[in-house]
Amino acid sequence: SYINMNMTYNDITSNTAGNNGGCMSFDDNIEINIINNIIKNNTASISGGVIYANHSSRMPNLIDSQVLYNTALNGNCGAFCTSLSIIRKCNIEYNVAHKNGGFAYSLKSFYAMIDILDTRMISNNAIHGSGGGIWIHNLSLSNGLLLNVMSSIFNDNTAGIHGGIMYINDNNIDIRISNSSMVSNKALLGDGGCISSRSYINMNMTYNDITSNTAGNNGGCMSFDDNINIQMYSNTFNNNIASVSGGVGYFGNAILLESNKSLFHNNSCLVGNGGVFNAGMHVIMHLHNSSINENKAYEGDGGFSHSLSNISMTIKNNTIFTSNMAGANGGCMSYDDNVNIAID
């Protein structure tokens, strides 16, 4: 316990452990900074392919490093079991956990912010769990978590259950994603092909490419519960698929969603409702200068969107709906009760 470690310019390759921590294992109150390292082909028989640390561990900085092909054979965290803060200019590829967190697993996040900057997170896998890239069980700070993602690439990450890229099992999250791509990520048996979390979520997405992500249940790209505020500016959502409902997003109640200059093309849900969005009650949606075309609810309602009741929608500034389709009701939209739509 009570260890500070700085690792710079190291090659850490092909180490193994019969239990936890393919390279290192610690108890509590650990702080580790990793800068300019190659960390490759390390294996733990249980958890922490590279580093296993107990509940009060922190990794403030993971910078300019290669984290590749590390494995937790029977447990969590293919590479790191610790709380993360800054991930910058890293290649994080082909890390695998048998359970949760293909790359990293945090039982508790001790930071108010996680920055993921100029990073490639490719083909990480949580085989039978959630968080193909990162799994965070809960937050330790009462004011929640800011997740800030900029100029990064997330491709081909897979979770056996929820959150192909990331799963955060808590509330009160501020998510900001800009100038990034999320392509071909999968939540095989659960929700949120890219990201899944709970309630009280603020999300701001600008200049992103979100393409060909899939969920075996709901939310081809994202899945959240109640009290959600999502702002989308100049994004492309293309060919995302949910096996049940919400080809792009699946939400609960009390939702505010605004799209400006965004493209929604060829997204679909296979057996449920909402080729792009599916939500419950008390939904406010503003669509500005957006293009919505060829989205499909193959067997259900709402080729573009479906919600239950108390819906308020504004459509203006040359928003275009073209060739959307529903197998049942509402080729573009299907709403149940108390609907107010203003078109300008």
Side-chain angles (χ1 to χ4, degrees), residues 60-337:
N61 295 289
L62 176 63
I63 297 172
D64 287 315
S65 293
Q66 315 290 315
V67 185
L68 313 171
Y69 295 98
N70 303 287
T71 305
L73 292 175
N74 294 291
N76 303 305
C77 45
F80 302 128
C81 289
T82 188
S83 177
L84 301 164
S85 182
I86 296 173
I87 303 171
R88 187 171 72 233
K89 293 185 178 179
C90 291
N91 285 343
I92 299 167
E93 302 182 20
Y94 296 97
N95 301 285
V96 179
H98 183 74
K99 294 181 180 178
N100 301 299
F103 157 60
Y105 169 100
S106 177
L107 191 62
K108 182 173 287 188
S109 178
F110 291 96
Y111 295 105
M113 181 167 65
I114 297 175
D115 270 333
I116 303 176
L117 311 171
D118 297 304
T119 286
R120 289 167 49 89
M121 192 174 290
I122 309 292
S123 295
N124 301 282
N125 192 351
I127 297 172
H128 298 293
S130 295
I134 297 174
W135 188 94
I136 298 173
H137 182 61
N138 58 38
L139 310 179
S140 64
L141 302 176
S142 59
N143 60 346
L145 173 71
L146 169 59
L147 171 63
N148 182 44
V149 177
M150 295 179 62
S151 303
S152 294
I153 297 171
F154 303 86
N155 292 354
D156 297 298
N157 300 285
T158 302
I161 307 177
H162 305 304
I165 299 170
M166 184 177 297
Y167 178 66
I168 305 175
N169 185 36
D170 211 334
N171 307 301
N172 196 16
I173 318 293
D174 188 348
I175 302 170
R176 304 174 190 176
I177 304 172
S178 62
N179 296 293
S180 296
S181 67
M182 298 180 176
V183 178
S184 298
N185 302 285
K186 305 172 186 68
L188 294 178
L189 300 177
D191 301 331
C194 293
I195 186 167
S196 179
S197 190
R198 293 171 63 186
S199 297
Y200 296 96
I201 309 294
N202 286 307
M203 188 178 212
N204 188 290
M205 305 180 70
T206 58
Y207 301 106
N208 300 295
D209 177 16
I210 315 294
T211 297
S212 297
N213 303 285
T214 60
N217 197 32
N218 299 308
C221 298
M222 63 190 85
S223 175
F224 304 122
D225 293 337
D226 302 328
N227 296 287
I228 311 301
N229 183 341
I230 300 179
Q231 305 292 317
M232 300 173 170
Y233 183 84
S234 198
N235 298 278
T236 296
F237 296 89
N238 181 54
N239 195 40
N240 300 286
I241 301 171
S243 293
V244 183
S245 293
V248 170
Y250 181 85
F251 314 118
N253 303 314
I255 311 302
L256 172 60
L257 189 150
E258 183 167 355
S259 168
N260 196 340
K261 295 185 178 179
S262 289
L263 168 66
F264 301 92
H265 174 256
N266 198 37
N267 304 285
S268 60
C269 64
L270 302 185
V271 299
N273 303 315
V276 177
F277 297 120
N278 186 87
M281 300 182 293
H282 303 288
V283 177
I284 300 172
M285 186 179 294
H286 302 299
L287 304 174
H288 307 272
N289 197 23
S290 292
S291 184
I292 300 162
N293 57 76
E294 299 185 54
N295 303 287
K296 305 167 186 71
Y298 281 103
E299 297 184 14
D301 300 339
F304 167 61
S305 66
H306 171 268
S307 299
L308 296 178
S309 63
N310 296 298
I311 315 301
S312 177
M313 175 180 285
T314 59
I315 302 171
K316 61 182 182 179
N317 295 339
N318 199 34
T319 292
I320 299 171
F321 294 84
T322 305
S323 300
N324 300 283
M325 183 273 284
N329 302 301
C332 286
M333 309 171 198
S334 175
Y335 306 123
D336 293 349
D337 301 317

Side-chain angles (χ1 to χ4, degrees), residues 1-3 25-30 52-57:
S1 298
Y2 299 98
I3 295 172
S25 179
F26 303 106
D27 289 329
D28 296 328
N29 297 297
I30 311 302
Y52 179 85
N54 282 332
H55 307 326
S56 299
S57 66

